[in-house]
Amino acid sequence: MKTQPRNDSIRNIAIIAHVDHGKTTLVDHMFRQSGMFREGQDAPERIMDSMDLERERGITIAAKNCAVTWRNTKINIIDTPGHADFGGEVERALSMADGAVLLVDASEGPLPQTRFVLKKTLEAGLRVIVAVNKIDRKDARPEEVLNEIYDLFIDLDADEEQLEFPVLYAVGREGRAMRSLDEEGVDLTPLFETIVTEIPGPSCDPEKPFAMLISDLGYSDFLGRLAIGRVLAGTARSHDSLVRIDEENRRVPLRVTRLQVYEGLKVVDSETAHPGDIVVISGLDEVTIGDTICSSETTTALKRISVDDPTVAMRFTINTSPLAGREGKYVQSARIRERLFKETLLNVAIRVEESEERDSFVVKGRGEFQMAILIETMRREGFELSVGRPEVIYRMENGVRKEPIEHLFIDCDESFTGIVTEKLSIRKGRMKNLVNHGSGRVRLEFTIPARGLIGYRDEFLTDTKGTGIMNSYFLGYEEYRGDFPSRFTGSIVCDRAGAAVPYAIFNLEPRGRLFVSPGDPVYEGMIVGEHNRDNDINVNPCKEKKLTNMRASGKDENVILTPVLPMTLERAIHFIREDELAEVTPLSIRLRKVELSAQKRHLLSGAKKKAKEEA
């Protein structure tokens, strides 16, 4: 049997891990130790987190490419997100890799997102190197964690070859890696050597016609659209005439205006693209992720990147409040539509559908966190819009309604077990496991409908006084588990336009938790607080104290108000109900009713109640 030739001068690896297990920090030290920075050069931290949102939140959102050279071997590194909501990025990244470095925290061990990214890696048939990171932690337990990793591999049906993975121990923030726990370790040489010896070079056949799969897209003001992917066969040169095969198998001719390859974090011009290279091609008018770029003699397209179906949908619409257009640069539905469809080109996990309603779009994705990141990105770009509550996507199978179910892992103090279990059982969660290590903390496992987790994270942090850790991954579809209330409180709704007044706010505080501060603009239908009871109430936050002859100047002026917690995007999305919207602008996040008029809302609720009684 003829063995497939390989390009041994290149290694393509993906770095995979759970959120906050030290991926990006390790890549920083790989840059420094491979000589990418000259001696004495001021190298920034978390180099791969190029987006502002990534730096602020300390997570990787988009998969990114870079390259380092180690002893004449070029190592293309693909940094992948650790959060399951950005699973589409993981699938794209793995399509370019031949192997992966799995990073696991020596204290926390493999967590739900670790399971998610590893499952995708094993399904792709990639060789895995396991690195147990942060072994310098006081609560590190590397031997136990390694056993948990073996259990995870077995649980994910890894074959015998995949189970024979090499193991390294690392202190990522100090840039040290060791082959055993007894070694001291001075640098990342063991990691580089293991990558070169254990990860195979990309398979290639220079004799075959040129073919590459588009795994990522970019845009340049000078070069236009950029297609990024790995060359799977043949060689291409700058200014070659090639063909793009799209999703419908149409063949579109193109001319390569420029070929670029990765060198460090930069892309540099290259005359030729060899098999195994991760290249950037410019000269395309239209391109989508999963397209094949090949020479004209190639007849069949490469297998497209497959992505899991979305589980959550949200409605995006224009801002129709009385304060619309004051803070945003882009407010028209055409601009919002253009921006959302542009996102689908760059993010394979997002889908956008036109709605029956005018100026409204349905955006589908992996989770509420992915949606929040998209909305936050848009508001920073100057967009002004309104969004509805996230809703899970149901399936009908043989006449039975099925819903997405999450496998939920909770780590919290023993004393909070009761409140956590009670809240999750209300949300139709079912406990699968409870482990008490005797250290004062317990680990709970539940299966729970995805809709049960929408809005629960904030509640969970309050219940566990900020000490609980909650993670989940998508388990599959199960029969609908029944209805439960999404919120036990009502809304305090403003009944007129104006500005909030301290006197009125002070008198409204006994009614519930307020969202507005003195001087904030308000309008009819705007939600100004959370009611203590389960019904909505209409109030006047603009009411001033009446002046009388009996009142001395300055008397009763000094009211002390409870400080208002600033409204964040996640809190807004979690809080709103089906008849409410979050109004998002570059400067403000406000909550409002879909129907602003108090009179119309009263008529609608009456008609709804009557229909319910008749039914």
Side-chain angles (χ1 to χ4, degrees):
M1 184 178 146
K2 189 182 174 185
T3 56
Q4 183 81 5
R6 292 189 175 274
N7 184 351
D8 284 324
S9 63
I10 294 176
R11 298 291 184 276
N12 294 324
I13 62 154
I15 307 269
I16 59 173
H18 183 89
V19 176
D20 203 31
H21 278 201
K23 229 176 345 50
T24 309
T25 308
L26 186 76
V27 173
D28 281 2
H29 283 282
M30 290 176 80
F31 267 109
R32 292 188 180 99
Q33 294 183 27
S34 63
M36 291 310 300
F37 299 110
R38 67 177 185 276
E39 206 169 324
Q41 184 177 348
D42 185 26
E45 288 189 355
R46 289 168 54 210
I47 307 160
M48 294 296 276
D49 284 351
S50 52
M51 292 166 61
D52 288 342
L53 270 174
E54 290 179 318
R55 288 186 170 274
E56 285 169 25
R57 292 170 183 256
I59 59 167
T60 302
I61 293 169
K64 287 173 285 294
N65 300 5
C66 62
V68 298
T69 303
W70 175 259
R71 296 177 183 168
N72 300 323
T73 302
K74 183 179 183 180
I75 302 172
N76 285 312
I77 302 169
I78 305 135
D79 187 19
T80 63
H83 201 288
D85 276 19
F86 307 108
E89 300 288 319
V90 175
E91 283 145 1
R92 281 202 298 104
L94 296 178
S95 70
M96 292 188 272
D98 294 294
V101 176
L102 172 67
L103 216 59
V104 182
D105 189 297
S107 168
E108 294 178 2
L111 290 174
Q113 321 297 358
T114 315
R115 183 189 186 92
F116 173 81
V117 289
L118 181 60
K119 182 171 181 276
K120 297 290 177 193
T121 307
L122 296 177
E123 282 172 1
L126 303 185
R127 178 85 168 129
V128 179
I129 297 168
V130 170
V132 181
N133 193 25
K134 304 188 185 181
I135 59 167
D136 58 331
R137 281 181 63 159
K138 286 180 183 175
D139 55 351
R141 45 186 190 96
E143 290 97 343
E144 289 172 51
V145 165
L146 186 56
N147 288 332
E148 289 172 16
I149 294 167
Y150 274 111
D151 291 343
L152 180 58
F153 269 76
I154 293 163
D155 200 26
L156 292 174
D157 298 325
D159 58 36
E160 284 184 27
E161 194 179 332
Q162 287 171 328
L163 277 170
E164 296 293 322
F165 53 78
V167 180
L168 295 169
Y169 300 92
V171 182
R173 63 179 179 180
E174 294 174 13
R176 295 191 290 126
M178 295 75 80
R179 295 182 195 278
S180 72
L181 288 166
D182 305 327
E183 288 179 35
E184 257 312 300
V186 289
D187 56 19
L188 292 176
T189 299
L191 176 61
F192 284 118
E193 288 175 350
T194 308
I195 289 169
V196 172
T197 54
E198 294 289 341
I199 304 292
S203 57
C204 62
D205 195 342
E207 305 305 314
K208 279 188 177 177
F210 177 78
M212 73 176 272
L213 182 71
I214 304 304
S215 301
D216 198 0
L217 298 176
Y219 185 81
S220 162
D221 291 335
F222 303 105
L223 303 170
R225 288 182 189 245
L226 305 173
I228 303 160
R230 192 178 87 175
V231 180
L232 295 169
T235 306
R237 288 174 179 78
S238 192
H239 306 299
D240 272 3
S241 295
L242 300 172
V243 170
R244 176 177 67 85
I245 304 176
D246 65 13
E247 198 170 1
E248 292 164 11
N249 260 352
R250 288 180 301 206
R251 300 169 69 83
V252 183
L254 68 95
R255 186 173 178 80
V256 180
T257 55
R258 188 182 280 187
L259 260 181
Q260 295 171 304
V261 294
Y262 285 93
E263 195 174 285
L265 280 170
K266 303 192 295 285
V267 284
V268 294
D269 289 351
S270 174
E271 279 304 308
T272 55
H274 300 288
D277 276 338
I278 293 176
V279 296
V280 183
I281 288 182
S282 46
L284 303 96
D285 295 327
E286 275 187 41
V287 64
T288 56
I289 289 170
D291 286 358
T292 300
I293 292 180
C294 54
S295 53
S296 51
E297 57 261 40
T298 304
T299 52
T300 54
L302 297 165
K303 187 185 174 190
R304 294 184 77 84
I305 297 167
S306 63
V307 176
D308 291 346
D309 289 336
T311 56
V312 170
M314 266 179 93
R315 191 172 292 277
F316 283 53
T317 181
I318 57 168
N319 186 10
T320 55
S321 88
L323 301 177
R326 295 188 187 183
E327 298 171 356
K329 195 163 42 165
Y330 309 118
V331 295
Q332 308 91 334
S333 62
R335 296 303 293 264
I336 294 170
R337 181 185 186 280
E338 184 189 328
R339 176 64 182 82
L340 290 174
F341 278 100
K342 182 184 171 189
E343 186 68 23
T344 62
L345 295 177
L346 300 170
N347 189 339
V348 285
I350 292 252
R351 295 177 197 172
V352 178
E353 295 172 5
E354 305 271 5
S355 168
E356 310 85 43
E357 296 172 30
R358 192 168 159 267
D359 301 330
S360 181
F361 311 94
V362 176
V363 181
K364 296 180 177 178
R366 287 286 182 82
E368 55 184 299
F369 186 48
Q370 184 188 31
M371 297 294 187
I373 293 294
L374 171 60
I375 298 163
E376 183 64 39
T377 307
M378 287 177 69
R379 76 182 283 233
R380 289 179 185 213
E381 290 169 3
F383 283 88
E384 198 171 293
L385 66 155
S386 294
V387 294
R389 182 179 171 81
E391 294 173 3
V392 297
I393 299 167
Y394 298 107
R395 281 184 184 173
M396 292 300 290
E397 291 180 16
N398 304 321
V400 178
R401 180 160 65 152
K402 296 204 167 183
E403 65 175 338
I405 300 291
E406 298 273 328
H407 195 155
L408 176 68
F409 294 76
I410 280 176
D411 191 307
C412 66
D413 284 346
E414 206 174 331
S415 56
F416 302 130
T417 309
I419 184 73
V420 168
T421 308
E422 183 190 339
K423 291 276 180 81
L424 290 174
S425 62
I426 291 169
R427 292 166 177 264
K428 303 296 180 186
R430 295 173 187 164
M431 188 186 284
K432 290 291 178 188
N433 197 12
L434 188 153
V435 180
N436 191 337
H437 294 295
S439 60
R441 288 184 78 82
V442 291
R443 181 172 281 197
L444 309 164
E445 283 182 44
F446 292 84
T447 61
I448 185 169
R451 62 197 163 96
L453 291 179
I454 295 172
Y456 176 64
R457 195 173 296 274
D458 296 338
E459 214 175 301
F460 170 73
L461 288 172
T462 306
D463 291 341
T464 60
K465 296 184 168 52
T467 61
I469 300 168
M470 181 174 116
N471 289 290
S472 66
Y473 69 89
F474 175 61
L475 193 62
Y477 278 81
E478 282 183 22
E479 201 170 320
Y480 185 71
R481 289 191 182 179
D483 297 334
F484 56 82
S486 60
R487 206 172 89 205
F488 294 95
T489 55
S491 299
I492 301 175
V493 187
C494 179
D495 66 358
R496 69 198 65 202
V501 171
Y503 172 75
I505 292 174
F506 180 72
N507 286 298
L508 285 174
E509 279 187 353
R511 296 297 187 98
R513 186 165 55 107
L514 296 178
F515 302 149
V516 291
S517 300
D520 286 352
V522 292
Y523 54 84
E524 184 182 7
M526 179 174 161
I527 298 168
V528 294
E530 181 178 11
H531 191 203
N532 290 333
R533 299 185 180 179
D534 60 359
N535 62 311
D536 294 346
I537 55 166
N538 294 313
V539 299
N540 176 12
C542 314
K543 185 180 180 182
E544 295 184 343
K545 186 164 185 177
K546 292 281 183 283
L547 298 176
T548 68
N549 292 336
M550 299 296 291
R551 181 170 150 246
S553 175
K555 181 82 171 167
D556 296 337
E557 283 291 311
N558 187 25
V559 292
I560 298 171
L561 301 176
T562 307
V564 172
L565 203 63
M567 181 58 72
T568 63
L569 191 54
E570 275 96 336
R571 268 183 69 216
I573 290 171
H574 293 163
F575 180 82
I576 54 177
R577 289 194 288 208
E578 290 71 22
D579 65 335
E580 297 168 351
L581 294 171
E583 177 190 341
V584 182
T585 76
L587 302 179
S588 313
I589 294 168
R590 303 182 190 95
L591 306 179
R592 52 162 284 188
K593 289 288 183 181
V594 173
E595 178 54 67
L596 295 177
S597 165
Q599 190 181 0
K600 284 184 182 174
R601 283 201 311 277
H602 181 68
L603 292 171
L604 284 169
S605 67
K608 208 182 219 179
K609 199 180 280 183
K610 192 178 177 185
K612 203 173 182 182
E613 284 169 3
E614 286 173 0

